[in-house]
Amino acid sequence: MKRKHQKTLALILKQPTSANIDWKDIEALLRELGAEIGEREGSRVIVRLFDDRRVFHRPHPSPKTDKGAVASLRRWLKDKEVK
């Protein structure tokens, strides 16, 4: 895994939850992990990874992901033992 993806993963897993992660960096990390990312209605995106699907809200107008989405993503990655 590239260093940039490692840094993004570290930010996601860090406590307290960071609200300073660009969504494009999260998408790049998920793709590196093998995810398929598709568009849904509005600003929603569907992420298929680990034989599982999750729907997230792409932030706008700011590119920063909110704490709730980061926490949800953290739980999902920890459940799948991504480190």
Side-chain angles (χ1 to χ4, degrees), residues 1 9 12-13 26 29-37 46-54 56 72-83:
M1 183 183 304
L9 181 58
I12 292 169
L13 297 176
I26 291 174
L29 169 66
L30 292 171
R31 282 192 179 96
E32 177 72 16
L33 293 172
E36 295 176 25
I37 299 175
I46 187 165
V47 179
R48 291 180 184 92
L49 183 63
F50 313 121
D51 295 326
D52 197 3
R53 293 181 298 184
R54 300 291 168 110
F56 292 97
S72 176
L73 186 58
R74 179 191 312 117
R75 283 190 303 273
W76 189 33
L77 293 176
K78 281 186 173 184
D79 286 347
K80 300 302 180 178
E81 299 181 3
V82 176
K83 297 177 183 172

Side-chain angles (χ1 to χ4, degrees), residues 23 27 37-47 54-60:
W23 178 254
E27 280 192 19
I37 299 175
E39 300 294 323
R40 300 291 288 213
E41 46 290 321
S43 58
R44 292 179 193 87
V45 293
I46 187 165
V47 179
R54 300 291 168 110
V55 176
F56 292 97
H57 182 267
R58 182 178 285 134
H60 61 85

